[in-house]
Each structure stands twice: as C-alpha cells, then as structure tokens.
Amino acid sequence: MLILVANLGSTSFKYRLFRMDEDGGEVVAKGGYERVDDYAAVIDDALATLQRDGVISSPAEIDAVGFKTVLGKNLSGCVIADQAVIDALEGFAAVAPAHNPPYANGIRQFAKSLPKAELVALFETAFYQWTSQASANYAIPKTWRDIGIRRYGFHGASHKFVAERSAELCGREDVAQIARRLYLDGPQSVSGKPFRVISCHLGGSSSVTGILNGVAIGTSMGFSPQSGLPQNNRVGDLDSGAIPYAMRTLGIPLDEAERQLTKESGLLGLSGVSNDIRDVRQAADSGNKDAQLALDCLVHSIRHWIGAFMIELGGIDALVFTAGIGENNPALRAAVCQGLEGFGICADPAKNAACRATECDIASDDSPAAILVIPANEELVLAREVFRKLS
Ligand code: ADP
C-alpha cells in the first residue's frame, strides 16, 4: 500500500511516501516546500515530481494520504478525513491556530488532487480517548465544559508508538498486540501482570504520559499545547489567576498576554537565552543562573508528572525517553532519574552517557524497571496507523 504522509505547517508542506505491508514499511520518497502560500500548487507539484522521478507512474497509484491532525472539536481517533474532520478542525481553529487551518485546507486540497485515495486523519488527541473523566476534566462551570474545555492531551502518535515499542522491548507481546490494535479494537484486558509505562516525550514541545496495558491513563498536556511541562517557548502549567493579574498590572491586552505566553515563555522565557536546550545548557555551564533555573524547572516538572503517574499506575515497569531532548540529552535523563532507586528506577551512568538517538535500555542490570530510549518517528507511526485502518 502506498501511503503519503502529509505534514502541513502554516507556511510549509512536507511529505514522505511510504510503501507499507504487514511486516512494516519503508520510505520511498520525501520532499517539502517552505514559504507556501498556495497549497494547491505545491501539492500538485509534489505529485508531478514523484511521477517525473519515476517513483510512481501516476498519482492514482497513491492509495492513501495520512494527516497528523492535532485537535478536533467533538472528534478524535484515527478516522477517515471527511467533511466532519474538516468541521472539527475548523471548530477549534482558535485553540490550535498554527495547526488546524493548514490541515483543514490540506485535506480539502488532497480530496481534489487525489480523488480516489483514502484520506485518513490521526488526531494527536486519539491516544487519550479512554482516560478517566476524573483525569480529563477541569473543575470549571458546566458552561465552560459545554464549550469543550477539558484535558485533551497531545503527542498521541509518539506516546502510542512508545506504548507498542516498550511492550515489545520488555517481552510483553500480549500488551504490544493490544497497543497496536488500540484504534481498531479499543482497550483490552490482559491476563497476566499489568504493564505500566511512563513515557516522556521531550522535544521542542514536551509531555509525560502514563500508560497501562498499552492504553493512556493520563497526560501532562491539557486543553491546549500551552500546558504541562515548560515547552521551548510556550508556557507550561500556569495558575489561571496569573493571566488577569499580569494583564492588569503590566497593562497589556489579551492578545499580547497570549503572544507572550505562546512565544516568549517556556525555556526561552525562563532562561532569557534560547528556546533550544543545547544553548540553555551551554549558558548554564558558563554560570548563567536563569539558564540553570530553566533546566531545573524542566526536570522538576518531568519528575512531578512521573510521580503522579507512578501513583496512578501503582508502580512502573518501564520509564521511556523519546524525541529530540529525550533521545539526545544524557544529562537531562540522569537528572530526571536522580534518586529514584527506591522506586525501582536505577539508571546506569555509563549506559546512559553512551546512548544517543538509538534504541537502548539505560537501566542498570539490577534495576526493577527498564529505562528505555526509543527514537520517535512520527511519520512512520502515521503510515502504520493508516495501513492498519485501511487493511
Ligand atoms: P520538535 O519537538 O520541534 O520536533 P525535537 O524533537 O527535535 O523538536 O526537539 C528539539 C529539542 O531537542 C531542542 O531543545 C534540541 O536542543 C534538542 N535536540 C534535538 N536534536 C538534538 C541533538 N542531536 N543533540 C542534542 N539535543 C538535541
């Protein structure tokens, strides 16, 4: 099955074409465009390029297009990308302004350019469909809940991949099978011991998710991507009382408060140096106290959520690190695991230091819990889900 994974930004379009079968898949072509103002033109150009390069003999050969949609109003899951998906994206365009409008436009455009292909949307919120009401709800009036304000969670594709892969690596094929088929069959019970995972997706945008038997039980991200851990330049969790106080005291309007919280906060806001953790670390190492504070706040927040999910899960079998920071930053992983031996999380300093951007278990030989580094590959995750949905 030929599956095109479309990554649509507010001014960019990137794609990867996968050939998928029961045993997995491979990328057969990839490409992209920056500074896009006409999606129709670049999508048609991409299809023409694939044909000219001999990758396909006709665009009609492409069986499906997959979209990693972020947040839909009253809609989630891995679903056929029809008008209901477009309406759901447009219904929450104001909550995810950088993501929803380009995906709504992209889906419309692909429906025209590839009328025979199946279009599939995998919502980033899909993995959290089965979290408890207690974990999903905020203590707000019913009128607020009725307009869709609740904890949705993001990075669902990445955390679901961790659910599958961690079970495979820990010899829990029963759980891996449940996780792989989750969007087809829903949660299933396991006959043996429960399998408890805490997944740390740490990148430009970060979240921690608790996973029981392949199914998310909760996550650090909430209603919008301005929540949970400190992000690269976006605020994480913030007391709602801080916003009216800052607006009144600093004399700034709502749009400016929103801009500062979404563009000038997170690691950048705390450190005053950069939104990239490599620059923040360098500044901290040269004595910049604000940069050190930024790193400390990130580690504190990651540990806060790990602690929360350890209680909810009743223990832990695997702690997982993924995405840019999780895969490449041994110092941060060491700081997160510091002093957790009493909870069964014992990192091996040498294994941790040696592991960069490859799959490995960095736990010591006698650690009760595995500590896994699992590289993220969100395009492949998407291609797999589309293949599963359609086959
Ligand atoms: P995004 O969430 O935007 O996809 P990434 O997952 O690549 O981004 O994460 C970006 C963060 O990961 C940055 O803070 C960056 O410093 C860090 N990072 C990414 N690649 C590396 C690397 N090779 N070495 C060290 N840090 C990295």
Side-chain angles (χ1 to χ4, degrees), residues 33 58 64 86 131 143 160 205 224 249 251 254 266 293 350:
Y33 302 80
S58 144
I86 294 174
T131 57
T143 47
K160 180 173 184 283
S205 158
S224 80
T249 311
L254 181 59
L293 176 66

mmCIF file of all heavy atoms in Angstrom, residues 33 58 64 86 131 143 160 205 224 249 251 254 266 293 350:
data_model
loop_
_atom_site.group_PDB
_atom_site.id
_atom_site.type_symbol
_atom_site.label_atom_id
_atom_site.label_comp_id
_atom_site.label_asym_id
_atom_site.label_seq_id
_atom_site.Cartn_x
_atom_site.Cartn_y
_atom_site.Cartn_z
ATOM 1 N N TYR A 33 8.293 21.789 0.896
ATOM 2 C CA TYR A 33 8.258 23.169 0.414
ATOM 3 C C TYR A 33 8.156 24.108 1.606
ATOM 4 O O TYR A 33 7.451 23.815 2.567
ATOM 5 C CB TYR A 33 7.031 23.396 -0.478
ATOM 6 C CG TYR A 33 6.967 22.461 -1.676
ATOM 7 C CD1 TYR A 33 6.509 21.155 -1.520
ATOM 8 C CD2 TYR A 33 7.380 22.872 -2.928
ATOM 9 C CE1 TYR A 33 6.456 20.286 -2.595
ATOM 10 C CE2 TYR A 33 7.327 22.009 -4.020
ATOM 11 C CZ TYR A 33 6.865 20.717 -3.843
ATOM 12 O OH TYR A 33 6.815 19.862 -4.901
ATOM 13 N N SER A 58 1.686 7.130 -11.875
ATOM 14 C CA SER A 58 0.555 8.060 -11.911
ATOM 15 C C SER A 58 0.156 8.369 -10.469
ATOM 16 O O SER A 58 0.251 7.489 -9.600
ATOM 17 C CB SER A 58 -0.602 7.398 -12.663
ATOM 18 O OG SER A 58 -1.828 7.769 -12.085
ATOM 19 N N ALA A 64 -3.400 6.107 -0.230
ATOM 20 C CA ALA A 64 -3.943 6.835 0.925
ATOM 21 C C ALA A 64 -3.042 8.001 1.297
ATOM 22 O O ALA A 64 -1.836 7.987 1.013
ATOM 23 C CB ALA A 64 -4.073 5.896 2.122
ATOM 24 N N ILE A 86 -12.945 18.081 8.779
ATOM 25 C CA ILE A 86 -12.673 19.488 8.444
ATOM 26 C C ILE A 86 -13.460 20.407 9.391
ATOM 27 O O ILE A 86 -12.924 21.371 9.942
ATOM 28 C CB ILE A 86 -13.031 19.772 6.960
ATOM 29 C CG1 ILE A 86 -12.069 18.980 6.062
ATOM 30 C CG2 ILE A 86 -12.984 21.262 6.651
ATOM 31 C CD1 ILE A 86 -12.394 19.058 4.582
ATOM 32 N N THR A 131 -9.030 7.925 28.707
ATOM 33 C CA THR A 131 -8.642 8.361 30.059
ATOM 34 C C THR A 131 -9.916 8.595 30.877
ATOM 35 O O THR A 131 -10.994 8.835 30.330
ATOM 36 C CB THR A 131 -7.809 9.662 30.028
ATOM 37 O OG1 THR A 131 -8.567 10.667 29.370
ATOM 38 C CG2 THR A 131 -6.491 9.468 29.311
ATOM 39 N N THR A 143 -20.963 25.485 31.906
ATOM 40 C CA THR A 143 -20.977 26.238 30.643
ATOM 41 C C THR A 143 -19.597 26.206 29.977
ATOM 42 O O THR A 143 -19.496 26.169 28.755
ATOM 43 C CB THR A 143 -21.373 27.707 30.889
ATOM 44 O OG1 THR A 143 -20.619 28.206 31.998
ATOM 45 C CG2 THR A 143 -22.857 27.841 31.155
ATOM 46 N N LYS A 160 1.810 6.677 21.692
ATOM 47 C CA LYS A 160 1.261 5.354 21.345
ATOM 48 C C LYS A 160 2.355 4.452 20.767
ATOM 49 O O LYS A 160 2.405 3.260 21.062
ATOM 50 C CB LYS A 160 0.112 5.482 20.347
ATOM 51 C CG LYS A 160 -0.458 4.109 19.975
ATOM 52 C CD LYS A 160 -1.696 4.224 19.130
ATOM 53 C CE LYS A 160 -2.306 2.864 18.851
ATOM 54 N NZ LYS A 160 -1.579 2.126 17.810
ATOM 55 N N SER A 205 8.450 20.587 21.953
ATOM 56 C CA SER A 205 7.230 20.544 22.751
ATOM 57 C C SER A 205 7.265 19.219 23.503
ATOM 58 O O SER A 205 7.728 18.225 22.961
ATOM 59 C CB SER A 205 6.092 20.652 21.743
ATOM 60 O OG SER A 205 4.918 20.158 22.216
ATOM 61 N N SER A 224 -4.840 22.940 25.728
ATOM 62 C CA SER A 224 -4.095 23.482 24.590
ATOM 63 C C SER A 224 -2.631 23.101 24.762
ATOM 64 O O SER A 224 -2.229 22.639 25.829
ATOM 65 C CB SER A 224 -4.224 25.011 24.569
ATOM 66 O OG SER A 224 -3.327 25.567 25.511
ATOM 67 N N THR A 249 -1.717 44.399 35.775
ATOM 68 C CA THR A 249 -0.556 45.044 36.385
ATOM 69 C C THR A 249 0.424 45.549 35.318
ATOM 70 O O THR A 249 1.012 46.618 35.458
ATOM 71 C CB THR A 249 0.155 44.042 37.320
ATOM 72 O OG1 THR A 249 -0.826 43.460 38.162
ATOM 73 C CG2 THR A 249 1.207 44.714 38.175
ATOM 74 N N GLY A 251 -0.513 46.143 32.243
ATOM 75 C CA GLY A 251 -1.276 46.965 31.296
ATOM 76 C C GLY A 251 -1.226 46.405 29.884
ATOM 77 O O GLY A 251 -1.105 47.165 28.918
ATOM 78 N N LEU A 254 -5.287 41.228 26.017
ATOM 79 C CA LEU A 254 -5.329 39.762 25.952
ATOM 80 C C LEU A 254 -4.428 39.196 24.846
ATOM 81 O O LEU A 254 -3.688 38.232 25.060
ATOM 82 C CB LEU A 254 -6.779 39.317 25.739
ATOM 83 C CG LEU A 254 -7.005 37.806 25.676
ATOM 84 C CD1 LEU A 254 -6.549 37.123 26.954
ATOM 85 C CD2 LEU A 254 -8.479 37.507 25.416
ATOM 86 N N GLY A 266 8.257 29.450 28.440
ATOM 87 C CA GLY A 266 8.966 28.170 28.404
ATOM 88 C C GLY A 266 10.451 28.340 28.690
ATOM 89 O O GLY A 266 10.871 29.228 29.444
ATOM 90 N N LEU A 293 18.115 27.782 35.995
ATOM 91 C CA LEU A 293 16.743 27.701 36.511
ATOM 92 C C LEU A 293 15.813 27.059 35.474
ATOM 93 O O LEU A 293 14.950 26.240 35.814
ATOM 94 C CB LEU A 293 16.235 29.105 36.880
ATOM 95 C CG LEU A 293 14.783 29.178 37.354
ATOM 96 C CD1 LEU A 293 14.601 28.448 38.681
ATOM 97 C CD2 LEU A 293 14.328 30.632 37.477
ATOM 98 N N ALA A 350 27.000 4.850 32.806
ATOM 99 C CA ALA A 350 27.779 4.618 31.579
ATOM 100 C C ALA A 350 26.860 4.323 30.403
ATOM 101 O O ALA A 350 27.045 4.852 29.298
ATOM 102 C CB ALA A 350 28.761 3.467 31.793
#
